[in-house]
Amino acid sequence: MDKKEKIFDTALKLFVKDGFHGTPTSKIAKEAGIANGTLFHHFKTKDILIKELYLKSKEEINDYIEEHIKGDLNPKTKFKALYISSLNWSIDHSDKFQFILLFQSSPFLKLIPQETLDQQSQSYYKVLNECYSKNLFTDLPLDYIYTLLLNHFMGNKEYIIQNSLSQEERKNLINTSFDLLWRMIS
Amino acid sequence: MDKKEKIFDTALKLFVKDGFHGTPTSKIAKEAGIANGTLFHHFKTKDILIKELYLKSKEEINDYIEEHIKGDLNPKTKFKALYISSLNWSIDHSDKFQFILLFQSSPFLKLIPQETLDQQSQSYYKVLNECYSKNLFTDLPLDYIYTLLLNHFMGNKEYIIQNSLSQEERKNLINTSFDLLWRMIS
DNA sequence: ACATTTGTAGAGTAATTAGTCGGTTTAAAA
DNA sequence: TTTTAAACCGACTAATTACTCTACAAATGT
């Protein structure tokens, strides 16, 4: 495996486990099986490593989701596809997803310009706005619906990871959870 | 203000802002307006400070909630009182609540014996179990309902904090959110 | 009044950390 | 083949960290 890739992998795992400040660069290098200097050859600073790791992970989930919602024309099925594909990715890449959350609620978030952040969430908002403008949602503020949606999502993600369901059970639960959500917000 | 109390306050604020490892004891001492040595006189180690801060905060929220649910005999109103009082406390003490979450998802959680943790969540589980055994909930596993409940709670908490509502609006939203929740899980 | 404990201070220390540097190996280009 | 550049190494450094130590002040008990 490419050493830079190996650094990414190891760093992500350690950051999720012990936090950013709790993970020394020396430990990353050691566990990745490379020398200290090599790490700083690929990433000028620890901050840059953290930032690139975030951008990489975020790009992966975004690509995956966009791949799964494109083509769908009906707003509701598009919304459902968004919900389900996000859920699937976050379960299948739980460390990466956890890392994204960690980063987003950390002071390192400031390393990313607002413009980039907006751009990254564009596709979600587009789907949401379409449903909203077509009055598919109940008569509550859109940001409140977003809140309900987001946390329903997070809870179900956590539940599925925790209970390591079979592929079939998982599919069923995800569908059930979407129905529960839709019943709540439509 | 008592210096020990001042350390508690400052440490909590900084831990929430910058994380445990991101907050040096020297910074805590400086911002609390005390000497380095004084901090270590009151708390033998940084870990002990973190642990005591958690136990203190957790005790406060537990006391508050228990004060608000005692007396209620009907399981549903007791459940509602639990939901609403938790929400109110977490909004009115958002830093402390954030700290509790931070601690619980950190490696420091290991500092607390399982026995103590169980004891601390006893009263919540009691209320939940009572509703469950009286068939007030829909036909889903209790731990799944707990997941839905918890995340509905978290989302609404975040929403109310973010949107700084008036006392009246807040009360209404909390009630609405409870109805939404109840409709979903009952 | 005196003694003892407790609170407070801040300089000091050993360990750890992010990041550097000079040098060697590997790989690609000329 | 020779030259150039990129990848890699690990010892090193300056800064930071958790924590100690000694001394002094305040409170408390006798």
Side-chain angles (χ1 to χ4, degrees), chain B residues 62-102:
Chain B
N62 272 5
D63 285 355
Y64 180 87
I65 290 169
E66 258 167 87
E67 187 62 32
H68 282 76
I69 62 173
K70 77 170 183 205
D72 243 318
L73 291 176
N74 179 297
K76 183 184 166 181
T77 57
K78 195 162 198 156
F79 178 77
K80 187 172 180 178
L82 172 66
Y83 178 81
I84 290 179
S85 60
S86 307
L87 211 36
N88 276 322
W89 194 90
S90 70
I91 293 162
D92 292 331
H93 306 80
S94 57
D95 265 6
K96 271 182 192 158
F97 190 80
Q98 201 54 45
F99 177 84
I100 291 173
L101 294 180
L102 187 68

Side-chain angles (χ1 to χ4, degrees), chain A residues 17 21-22 107 141 143-144 147-148 151-152 154-156 159 163 173 177 180 183-184, chain B residues 17 21-22 107 141 143-144 147-148 151-152 154-156 159 163 173 177 180 183-184:
Chain A
K17 188 159 71 82
H21 288 100
D143 62 340
Y144 185 63
T147 296
L148 295 176
N151 288 276
H152 191 80
M154 297 288 273
N156 278 280
Y159 184 81
N163 290 273
L173 182 58
S177 85
L180 284 169
R183 205 169 66 190
M184 181 163 64
Chain B
K17 187 159 72 80
H21 289 99
D143 62 340
Y144 185 64
T147 296
L148 295 176
N151 288 277
H152 190 80
M154 298 288 274
N156 278 280
Y159 184 80
N163 289 274
L173 183 58
S177 85
L180 284 169
R183 204 168 69 190
M184 181 164 63

Side-chain angles (χ1 to χ4, degrees), chain B:
Chain B
M1 184 188 243
D2 187 63
K3 302 219 168 184
K4 190 172 178 180
E5 205 61 32
K6 186 78 189 150
I7 296 172
F8 268 135
D9 266 35
T10 310
L12 186 120
K13 205 183 313 166
L14 290 174
F15 285 147
V16 167
K17 187 159 72 80
D18 300 326
F20 293 122
H21 289 99
T23 307
T25 52
S26 55
K27 195 176 176 188
I28 297 171
K30 201 175 169 186
E31 289 217 8
I34 56 147
N36 239 307
T38 306
L39 193 151
F40 287 97
H41 169 73
H42 289 289
F43 307 97
K44 255 202 172 104
T45 66
K46 190 182 179 182
D47 282 16
I48 288 174
L49 166 61
I50 291 171
K51 191 179 84 178
E52 289 201 14
L53 205 39
Y54 172 73
L55 291 174
K56 190 171 170 295
S57 305
K58 188 71 186 166
E59 197 187 338
E60 284 180 32
I61 184 173
N62 272 5
D63 285 355
Y64 180 87
I65 290 169
E66 258 167 87
E67 187 62 32
H68 282 76
I69 62 173
K70 77 170 183 205
D72 243 318
L73 291 176
N74 179 297
K76 183 184 166 181
T77 57
K78 195 162 198 156
F79 178 77
K80 187 172 180 178
L82 172 66
Y83 178 81
I84 290 179
S85 60
S86 307
L87 211 36
N88 276 322
W89 194 90
S90 70
I91 293 162
D92 292 331
H93 306 80
S94 57
D95 265 6
K96 271 182 192 158
F97 190 80
Q98 201 54 45
F99 177 84
I100 291 173
L101 294 180
L102 187 68
F103 182 91
Q104 286 178 348
S105 64
S106 82
F108 292 100
L109 185 63
K110 290 197 297 273
L111 298 176
I112 314 283
Q114 187 58 44
E115 190 190 307
T116 309
L117 295 176
D118 290 343
Q119 202 182 328
Q120 281 169 343
S121 13
Q122 210 182 0
S123 53
Y124 315 126
Y125 285 129
K126 230 158 109 184
V127 176
L128 266 175
N129 275 317
E130 205 180 341
C131 289
Y132 192 69
S133 64
K134 298 220 163 126
N135 287 315
L136 296 182
F137 292 146
T138 179
D139 195 22
L140 290 165
L142 183 56
D143 62 340
Y144 185 64
I145 288 172
Y146 178 70
T147 296
L148 295 176
L149 154 66
L150 194 66
N151 288 277
H152 190 80
F153 169 86
M154 298 288 274
N156 278 280
K157 172 199 72 98
E158 209 50 48
Y159 184 80
I160 293 169
I161 290 173
Q162 229 69 186
N163 289 274
S164 54
L165 308 178
S166 76
Q167 213 57 26
E168 189 62 20
E169 291 170 320
R170 170 169 150 180
K171 204 181 154 191
N172 287 337
L173 183 58
I174 289 181
N175 275 308
T176 305
S177 85
F178 180 79
D179 293 340
L180 284 169
L181 172 66
W182 192 256
R183 204 168 69 190
M184 181 164 63
I185 65 175
S186 74

Side-chain angles (χ1 to χ4, degrees), chain A residues 18-36:
Chain A
D18 301 325
F20 294 122
H21 288 100
T23 308
T25 53
S26 55
K27 195 176 176 187
I28 297 171
K30 201 175 170 185
E31 289 216 9
I34 56 148
N36 237 306

Side-chain angles (χ1 to χ4, degrees), chain A residues 5 55-65 89 93 96:
Chain A
E5 205 62 31
L55 291 174
K56 190 172 172 295
S57 306
K58 188 71 187 168
E59 197 186 339
E60 284 180 32
I61 184 173
N62 272 4
D63 286 355
Y64 179 89
I65 290 169
W89 195 89
H93 307 80
K96 271 182 192 157

Side-chain angles (χ1 to χ4, degrees), chain A residues 8-46:
Chain A
F8 268 136
D9 266 37
T10 311
L12 186 120
K13 205 183 313 167
L14 289 174
F15 285 147
V16 167
K17 188 159 71 82
D18 301 325
F20 294 122
H21 288 100
T23 308
T25 53
S26 55
K27 195 176 176 187
I28 297 171
K30 201 175 170 185
E31 289 216 9
I34 56 148
N36 237 306
T38 307
L39 193 152
F40 287 96
H41 170 72
H42 288 289
F43 307 97
K44 256 203 171 100
T45 67
K46 190 182 179 183

